[in-house]
Amino acid sequence: MKKLQQIYEGKAKKVYATDDADLVLVEYKDDATAFNGLKKGTIAGKGVINNKVTNHMMRMLEKEGVPTHYVEELSDRETLVRKVSIVPLEVIIRNISAGSFAKRYGVVEGITFAEPTIEFSYKNDDLGDPLINAYHAVALGLATWDEIETIKKYAFRVNDFMKKYLIELGIRLVDFKLEFGKTSDGTIVLADEISPDTCRFWDKDTNEKLDKDRFRRDLGGVEDAYQEIMRRLMGN
Ligand code: TMP
C-alpha cells in the first residue's frame, strides 16, 4: 500500500490518497481544538491513542453488525479505511445529561435518562454545526429518509454495545458523536472516530471526566485522562 498525496486536513486528522482508489489513509494528529476552532492546543500522544481506541471499537462494532470504514491499522497513528463521502450530519447519542444538552435545557449535568436520546447537527463549520432535525436534513438534501433510518439504527446499536462494554471497564458512557459515510455503491458505514475526543467518559465510581472536556474546560490532567482510557480499553 502506497501513501500518496494528502487530500484533506481536518482539525484532528489528515487524509491521504493511496494507490487503491477505494481506500484512503487516515493520520491522527495531536492537535486539539474546541468551540469550533476558537481554542487550540496540543494533547501529547492523543493521535496514537485516538487511532488505537477508534480501531479497537470499530473492530468490535463490525462483529456487532455495524458496518464501518475500518480496514487495517498501519502504524501508531495511521489507519487504512474505505473511501467514503461523509454524510454531513454529526449524530449525537446521550445517556446522561451533559454539555450542550444541559446548557440548552437548563439542567444539571449527570441526570441519567430512562432511554438514550439522539440528535443531529449539520456538519458545517461556517455555521457552527447547528442542531438540525431530520426533516430539515432531508429538505437540504444531506441524506434520504432511508439513510437517516439506517444511521439511527446503527447509532443506537453502537450505544447499546459501547455502554455495556465500557461499564465493565469502570467507564460510564455519557454521550458521544458519530459520523457516517457512503461508499461508492451507496452503502452507509460508520466512519470518522470513536475516542476521548468524540465521547464523554466518566469514571463509574468517582464521575471523574476521562475525555476531551478536560481540555475544553481547562481541568488539567488531559494527557493522563487519555492514557487512562487507553489503559482500561487495551491494557497499555
Ligand atoms: P455537546 O454536549 O457539546 O453537544 O457534545 C456532545 C458529544 O459530542 C460529546 O461527547 C462531545 C462530542 N462532540 C464532538 O465530537 N465534536 C464536537 O465538535 C462537539 C461540539 C461535540
Side-chain angles (χ1 to χ4, degrees):
M1 182 55 53
K2 258 213 207 89
K3 183 176 181 178
L4 301 177
Q5 78 282 3
Q6 183 181 308
I7 49 181
Y8 177 77
E9 177 161 11
K11 297 191 197 94
K13 300 186 283 301
K14 295 178 182 178
V15 181
Y16 294 85
T18 71
D19 50 5
D20 184 330
D22 293 324
L23 301 176
V24 295
L25 187 154
V26 177
E27 186 184 289
Y28 286 75
K29 306 188 284 184
D30 285 351
D31 300 351
T33 65
F35 316 116
N36 199 15
L38 236 55
K39 182 181 171 84
K40 286 193 176 67
T42 304
I43 301 173
K46 171 172 89 83
V48 173
I49 292 170
N50 287 3
N51 184 38
K52 290 178 181 288
V53 167
T54 295
N55 294 340
H56 179 67
M57 289 295 187
M58 293 222 177
R59 287 189 290 256
M60 290 189 293
L61 287 167
E62 285 276 356
K63 295 190 186 133
E64 296 295 316
V66 179
T68 78
H69 72 164
Y70 174 77
V71 176
E72 187 189 355
E73 189 168 299
L74 298 175
S75 74
D76 275 0
R77 288 178 188 271
E78 296 171 313
T79 294
L80 198 60
V81 301
R82 289 155 81 184
K83 185 172 188 170
V84 297
S85 60
I86 292 289
V87 176
L89 294 174
E90 300 201 336
V91 181
I92 297 157
I93 298 264
R94 300 180 192 269
N95 297 303
I96 298 175
S97 66
S100 69
F101 181 98
K103 194 167 177 199
R104 182 176 313 117
Y105 301 117
V107 296
V108 294
E109 297 196 309
I111 303 164
T112 300
F113 305 140
E115 284 179 40
T117 68
I118 191 164
E119 74 209 42
F120 303 106
S121 291
Y122 177 22
K123 200 172 142 64
N124 182 318
D125 280 340
D126 293 340
L127 301 176
D129 298 342
L131 198 63
I132 190 169
N133 73 29
Y135 286 87
H136 292 173
V138 171
L140 290 170
L142 308 183
T144 66
W145 281 112
D146 275 356
E147 287 165 355
I148 287 172
E149 280 311 310
T150 302
I151 285 170
K152 276 163 62 177
K153 178 180 75 180
Y154 290 155
F156 282 119
R157 201 175 287 174
V158 169
N159 186 49
D160 286 343
F161 172 74
M162 286 216 301
K163 216 170 37 179
K164 290 191 193 111
Y165 172 73
L166 291 168
I167 203 70
E168 295 297 319
L169 305 173
I171 300 164
R172 240 190 270 288
L173 180 60
V174 175
D175 56 30
F176 58 94
K177 184 266 299 180
L178 301 175
E179 295 184 24
F180 291 85
K182 258 195 308 188
T183 62
S184 53
D185 68 1
T187 306
I188 294 282
V189 298
L190 180 62
D192 195 51
E193 64 181 284
I194 303 179
S195 72
D197 270 19
T198 61
C199 304
R200 284 195 174 95
F201 297 132
W202 292 358
D203 180 83
K204 173 174 147 299
D205 298 319
T206 65
N207 281 332
E208 187 190 356
K209 296 183 200 314
L210 298 172
D211 58 61
K212 194 177 170 188
D213 270 350
R214 302 205 74 86
F215 170 79
R216 296 190 188 99
R217 303 179 186 189
D218 295 319
L219 299 176
V222 184
E223 278 88 0
D224 286 348
Y226 279 71
Q227 292 283 352
E228 178 63 14
I229 288 298
M230 171 94 152
R231 193 187 63 74
R232 290 199 200 179
L233 266 68
M234 332 218 17
N236 57 15

